[in-house]
Amino acid sequence: EPEVTQTPSHQVTQMGQEVILRCVPISNHLYFYWYRQILGQKVEFLVSFYNNEISEKSEIFDDQFSVERPDGSNFTLKIRSTKLEDSAMYFCASEGTGWTGELFFGEGSRLTVL
Amino acid sequence: AQSVTQLGSHVSVSEGALVLLRCNYSSSVPPYLFWYVQYPNQGLQLLLKYTSAATLVKGINGFEAEFKKSETSFHLTKPSAHMSDAAEYFCAVTDSGGSNYKLTFGKGTLLTVNP
């Protein structure tokens, strides 16, 4: 069964460092998302991406964040200069050829900022 | 703005007992509503969704949910719990129009099933 894969599963970084989280969505999907979950809190929407551009972003997704689909298969989230409060589980998700609300999530990348 | 409240961060039931996980929503427009499940060390998986068709929605693994507009609720039920149902369950909402690219999730309810 096709699945969304994310790497790394866990990354520890120093405050101020750049981090890139990688995702390989399901191959024929067109909509891509990043969500995050700070420990003990809600799963929060960060950004949606369609047709090689951002469709919508939340207020969390400030200038320190960027997304890219560099090669038609990977979908990356970059945090330019990490802060302590960026520590969270980051989930990538993809959706098929038309909006259905059925997002397929990866297992998540846990980011720890020290 | 939309929001979701899940009552009870942790629900514990015995195997074979009724499962009831509560979700109330707030939305200024007719909502689409979802339940997702997360098994340990896995990503979130769609259980079922309501998108303005039948108000009683059936999902995978014997779960169902009923949309009640008057109560702004979308509670998840299963008549008889199985050990394999132990997981975290998330209710989510999005607009039926306009900004439908994002889901707003609740905080999740951890379901444990006792033998």
Side-chain angles (χ1 to χ4, degrees):
Chain A
E1 184 175 321
E3 59 181 17
V4 175
T5 57
Q6 289 186 241
T7 55
S9 56
H10 189 192
Q11 182 159 357
V12 180
T13 190
Q14 295 292 323
M15 191 169 56
Q17 295 296 303
E18 177 182 283
V19 161
I20 297 176
L21 304 179
R22 291 181 168 81
C23 170
V24 179
I26 295 173
S27 62
N28 64 342
H29 282 189
L30 300 179
Y31 298 83
F32 311 110
Y33 306 82
W34 283 100
Y35 285 78
R36 79 172 185 188
Q37 185 177 29
I38 295 171
L39 190 63
Q41 299 186 25
K42 297 184 179 187
V43 175
E44 302 173 291
F45 169 81
L46 291 178
V47 66
S48 59
F49 191 87
Y50 170 71
N51 201 25
N52 283 321
E53 61 182 23
I54 290 174
S55 309
E56 187 165 355
K57 59 184 180 180
S58 71
E59 57 273 14
I60 302 168
F61 195 88
D62 62 21
D63 292 344
Q64 294 299 312
F65 290 87
S66 62
V67 289
E68 196 176 38
R69 190 158 159 78
D71 56 12
S73 62
N74 291 285
F75 180 51
T76 62
L77 174 69
K78 182 192 292 187
I79 308 174
R80 201 182 334 273
S81 177
T82 50
K83 303 188 279 285
L84 295 176
E85 54 265 37
D86 294 328
S87 295
M89 181 72 90
Y90 289 80
F91 293 104
C92 174
S94 70
E95 188 173 15
T97 55
W99 186 85
T100 62
E102 182 169 6
L103 276 59
F104 290 79
F105 283 83
E107 293 182 9
S109 293
R110 179 165 296 286
L111 176 66
T112 302
V113 182
L114 302 177
Chain B
Q2 310 140 330
S3 66
V4 168
T5 302
Q6 290 185 241
L7 297 174
S9 59
H10 187 192
V11 170
S12 182
V13 300
S14 299
E15 194 173 18
L18 171 71
V19 175
L20 171 61
L21 304 182
R22 298 177 188 275
C23 172
N24 289 89
Y25 70 90
S26 170
S27 177
S28 56
V29 298
Y32 290 162
L33 293 156
F34 307 83
W35 277 98
Y36 278 81
V37 60
Q38 185 180 28
Y39 298 104
N41 301 315
Q42 295 186 28
L44 283 77
Q45 176 185 358
L46 182 68
L47 261 184
L48 49 80
K49 64 181 181 182
Y50 166 78
T51 55
S52 74
T55 56
L56 182 62
V57 180
K58 294 185 186 301
I60 61 172
N61 301 338
F63 283 92
E64 62 181 40
E66 186 172 8
F67 172 67
K68 291 187 176 180
K69 185 178 178 182
S70 60
E71 298 177 7
T72 61
S73 69
F74 191 59
H75 301 331
L76 182 71
T77 60
K78 181 174 180 178
S80 177
H82 193 272
M83 297 296 288
S84 61
D85 294 327
E88 188 150 23
Y89 292 80
F90 296 89
C91 184
V93 64
T94 190
D95 284 338
S96 57
S99 174
N100 59 8
Y101 289 109
K102 67 177 184 181
L103 299 178
T104 300
F105 284 89
K107 290 185 78 169
T109 299
L110 181 65
L111 175 67
T112 58
V113 181
N114 304 307

